[in-house]
Structures are given as structure tokens and as C-alpha cells.
Amino acid sequence: MFNIILALFTGILIGWNFHSFFLALNTPKILRTDINISQAFILDTNESNITTLTSPKVKKEDKKKPSEKNHKLIKTSFYSLLHNGLFSDAMVLYQQGGDERILFYRSTLKEYFEKESITNQEKTIRELLEYIEIDPENGESQLFLSDIYKERKEYIESIKILNELIEHNTKIDNEVVYNALIDTSRLYIDSLRELKSYEEIQKFLEAEIQRGTKSSFFILALAKHHIFMQSFNTATILLKEIEFDEEYAEQAKELLNKIDKNETNKEEYTYKLPLKKIGSHFTIEVTVDNTPLSLLLDTGASLTLLDEEKVPSSLTLINDNVILNTAGGEVSAQLKMAHSFIVGSIELEDFKVTTSPFIQEKADGLLGMNFFQKFKFKIDQEKSLLYLSEK
């Protein structure tokens, strides 16, 4: 038994010696293992860092077109500000941009304004006005603003912008602006004519002629207006000014021929007095002994009737009990004498009138036949004019 244990111990000792011998011959690869662990750690770090350190190709591609990438980033930022309701902030960025960036900004703004004007014109107008103050040289934006005003029938604002574009000689094509000015002016004149605002038409056209922009067009338009108002002498004088104009000579000569050949176009009436329409009736402004009054035209009234509460005390009483026949029936009134009765540029002295209570909105009485019988007269209801000529 003892011998067996001794033999086992001896074997273990011999085996350990062999193990130590082989270890001495084959050194453990601890350093290589450490290196492998370090490499594995690097591979597990942030991917972007690895790309930066080990991917020179990516860096090389970044350097190829840095301007294009920067512009895309800038344009995206500008676009985001616009569409997030930060227009003023976008304008700050606009002012900080150089020439190259401005091209991106302008193209972005053009697209933005076009879309916004469809849904919110008032907001677009406010922002366009803000932008134009920053970049007044961008004529396209001003022309676009003029188009919005025209679409909204705010013709005066539209025309004002177009005249400024012409005056400041922006880079935009002048013919485009001229055509827009003529088109908008026609629309404005038509709108005034529908409202029977004839004095406003004349004032507008005279002001544009004085300005000197496309004056031949406005001279022709003013001549047409005077023909419409049957002021043929004035129309003829205007047409003579453009009789040999390169663009409008043919139209001017055609109108002159019509005036000369049509005998009915000769002025039959000395006076043309404007009327105001109230419902289905017309009123005219008169002055009675220095007191201004507004009278309804009533050819059915035998005498002119004035509201007794509004007549001046200077009137002389003739008869305190007369019966006045009017279109509305008989009226009890007082007969009086006005020392001065003025209608337009016509003044009548010692003109008889009647006075009585008169209740009528926007009128102080009736202009009766004792006035009309003194003249040859015509009432043009379409043009709201009273034509008078002494018999």
C-alpha cells in the first residue's frame, strides 16, 4: 500500500516537471492578446470618430463641393424661418447674406409669396412691404405686390407702385411695367365710371398726364372721357395733341372724324351740371341768398319749394297762403322772393320760391318748373348730368 502511494506521488512530480519544461519553451502570448483587446475597443467606439480617423475618402468628398452644401443648409434655414411664421427673423438672415446667398433667398421668397398670396393676401402685402424696404432693387417683388393690389381692386395703390418702378428705373423690363400701368389704369377708370365719379376720372387722368409717363395714352383716355361727357371742344383740343403720335395717331384721327361728321355731337347746351342720385331721384346743389341747399329735381312742381326750417331769413314774403302742385300732390306753402338763386355758374335774381315743412332724407326741397322753364334742358340719367341752355 505504501509502495502504491509513493509511485503515484512520483508520477505527479514527473508530470509537473514536464509541464514546466514546455511552458518555458512556449511563452504565453499575453502581449498579443492585449493588443487584440485594444483593437476591439477601438472598433466599438463612436462610428463618426472612426469615419473621421480612418475614412479619408469621406473627407475628400466633403471638400469637393462645400459651397453647394452650405447653400443647401442656408436655404433650408431660411425656408424654415419663413414657414414657421418668423418672417422678420428671415429678413435678418437675408440682410446678412452675400451676393450668392441673396440669389437663394430671392428664389425662396418668390415661391413663398406666390403660395401665401393664394390664402392670405393681407399678410402677403404686409410682408412684401417689409421686404421691399430691405431690398428696393428687387423690381419683381414690387411688380408682384402691384398685381395683388390690382386683384383686390385697390387700383390707386397698384398704379402708385408701377409709377415708382418706372421712375426709379429698376432692372425690370420697362415694357412690362408700362403695359401693367395701362391695364390697371383702364380698370380704375371703368370702376369710377360705374360709380359715376366723373370728376375723379378727370382728376386722375390730368394728374397722370402731368406726370409724363405714357402721356399719350392718358391724353387719349381723357379725350374719350370728354366725348362721353359731351365736351367735344375740349376733346378735340386733346386729340389734336396726339394726332401724329406714333402709337395713338390712328385712334385720335378716328375720333376727330367722328366729332366732325356727327352733327348731333355739337354742343347744344351751355351748362352741364352734376347731379347726385338718391334712390330713383336726383338732387342738385343750389345757393339761396348765400345759403347752400340740396334740391330734388321735380318737373311736376309748378314752383320751387324750400324747407321753411332751412331757408334764410332774408327772403321776402309775397303771399303766406298758396297751393303748390307737386309730383306728390298739392302742398300748402308761403310764396317768397329770393334775392339771389344760384345753380352752378347760373345766377338768377329776384327768383320766386315757396316755403313749407319738407321732410325728405338728404334733400332740402324741390327744384320746380319755374326754374326749368327759363332754359332748354335735358336730364341725362345715365351720366347723372343736367344740361341747360338759355332759351
Side-chain angles (χ1 to χ4, degrees), residues 47-108:
E47 185 178 349
S48 62
N49 292 337
I50 296 170
T51 302
T52 304
L53 293 172
T54 62
S55 301
K57 289 183 179 180
V58 175
K59 281 190 174 182
K60 189 174 182 180
E61 289 175 359
D62 285 343
K63 290 181 180 179
K64 281 184 179 179
K65 297 180 180 179
S67 177
E68 183 179 343
K69 283 197 170 188
N70 288 338
H71 283 316
K72 286 182 179 179
L73 179 61
I74 291 165
K75 187 173 181 180
T76 301
S77 301
F78 188 68
Y79 182 92
S80 298
L81 289 172
L82 290 176
H83 289 272
N84 282 284
L86 300 173
F87 186 83
S88 295
D89 292 336
M91 291 300 97
V92 172
L93 192 62
Y94 186 98
Q95 290 175 287
Q96 294 173 349
D99 291 340
E100 291 185 7
R101 292 185 184 181
I102 293 299
L103 296 176
F104 283 98
Y105 293 155
R106 282 183 173 180
S107 63
T108 304

Side-chain angles (χ1 to χ4, degrees), residues 288-344:
V288 181
D289 284 4
N290 298 318
T291 300
L293 299 171
S294 181
L295 303 184
L296 287 168
L297 272 61
D298 188 351
T299 55
S302 54
L303 294 171
T304 297
L305 172 67
L306 307 179
D307 185 354
E308 64 181 13
E309 292 186 359
K310 297 181 180 179
V311 296
S313 58
S314 58
L315 269 62
T316 302
L317 178 63
I318 300 175
N319 189 335
D320 64 356
N321 187 16
V322 296
I323 301 299
L324 175 65
N325 293 316
T326 71
E330 293 185 348
V331 176
S332 177
Q334 291 182 332
L335 180 64
K336 295 184 179 182
M337 181 78 74
H339 301 290
S340 172
F341 190 89
I342 300 174
V343 182

